[in-house]
Amino acid sequence: MVVYDWNEEFCRQYADGLRPFSRFDHGMTASMIAGELEPLPEAPAILDIATGPAFLLIQLAKRIPNAALVGQDSAAPMLAIAREEAARAGFSIDTMFCSADNLSAADASFDIVVCKQLLHEADNPAGVISEALRALKPEGKFFLVDFDADSPKAIAVAMRVFLRVAAGRMISGNFWKSYSSGLPGVEVRKMVSEAGFENVKLKRAGMNYFISARKRSKG
């Protein structure tokens, strides 16, 4: 697990460094999620756990019309940035200031819950997954993306070099610390299954795992 101090200066540096790559990085993830949802649901409620600057929510909004967007984060400065980024992109989001493993969300209140690049930083990964399950409606979909400790290291090394040139030392260094703290995707898949999800699937996308799952129906 890696720990960062998400103060306002750091949050803005993070958003500024990530913004140029968001269309590719978060756009690719959003496309994978939308592809798993075919046919697209009508006006779904979507929760993004650890939303950061809301780049994933923005990309999802471009692919899933009329979605109600909620971004959760435990850093208040990041939620302010998320609202700014969403407004700049022409979308409106609600924000939720709380811990990822103790969401201030009602039971069964979302159709879709997504979580990208959090578990490597979470001190209670199982708690995050359990809260995602609680917040989902029956048969709701869960998508979990993070650095896979079992991914080819050469891909991460190449990305580290690219980021050093394109985004600077801070972004490159933080990327490497985060990547190095990633969990094996097969272990995370097991955690998702043990939490009570069904139809749990694991894909690999570069240096990330992409896990999709569904909450069981009431019956």
Side-chain angles (χ1 to χ4, degrees):
M1 185 186 79
V2 64
V3 178
Y4 297 111
D5 177 11
W6 292 99
N7 56 53
E8 183 167 2
E9 180 182 8
F10 186 82
C11 288
R12 292 201 174 275
Q13 288 176 340
Y14 176 86
D16 291 344
L18 196 58
R19 190 179 297 107
F21 312 104
S22 176
R23 182 181 299 179
F24 170 74
D25 181 17
H26 298 86
M28 181 179 71
T29 300
S31 292
M32 292 179 70
I33 291 171
E36 294 281 338
L37 295 171
E38 295 291 347
L40 291 175
E42 294 185 11
I46 303 177
L47 171 64
D48 182 15
I49 297 176
T51 194
F55 292 147
L56 179 55
L57 273 182
I58 291 167
Q59 293 297 328
L60 285 170
K62 293 177 179 179
R63 291 160 174 81
I64 306 174
N66 304 313
L69 309 172
V70 179
Q72 176 277 335
D73 210 282
S74 59
M78 194 62 91
L79 291 176
I81 295 170
R83 291 188 291 269
E84 293 169 8
E85 294 289 342
R88 186 179 296 119
F91 299 105
S92 175
I93 66 170
D94 292 324
T95 53
M96 183 186 297
F97 177 49
C98 59
S99 168
D101 59 3
N102 188 21
L103 297 173
S104 57
D107 293 354
S109 51
F110 292 94
D111 300 288
I112 301 164
V113 173
V114 301
C115 181
K116 183 178 187 297
Q117 311 304 135
L118 170 67
L119 287 201
H120 69 269
E121 197 178 334
D123 58 4
N124 183 15
V128 174
I129 295 168
S130 177
E131 279 292 88
L133 180 69
R134 182 186 66 79
L136 274 170
K137 298 176 183 178
E139 300 188 11
K141 299 291 185 67
F142 179 45
F143 298 95
L144 183 58
V145 182
D146 209 330
F147 298 116
D148 190 342
D150 292 334
S151 66
K153 192 171 183 179
I155 299 175
V157 171
M159 179 59 72
R160 181 186 187 184
V161 173
F162 170 76
L163 289 174
R164 178 71 177 271
V165 174
R169 184 186 300 270
M170 190 272 283
I171 293 294
S172 174
N174 288 337
F175 157 76
W176 190 253
K177 285 192 294 184
S178 295
Y179 168 77
S180 300
S181 298
L183 301 171
V186 290
E187 291 186 12
V188 179
R189 178 178 59 186
K190 183 180 179 182
M191 282 193 281
V192 173
S193 294
E194 291 177 345
F197 282 97
E198 65 178 7
N199 198 29
V200 181
K201 298 178 182 178
L202 167 65
K203 297 179 182 179
R204 289 195 171 89
M207 63 197 132
N208 292 327
Y209 56 75
F210 178 93
I211 293 174
S212 60
R214 182 175 61 204
K215 185 172 181 176
R216 299 178 190 276
S217 64
K218 288 184 178 180

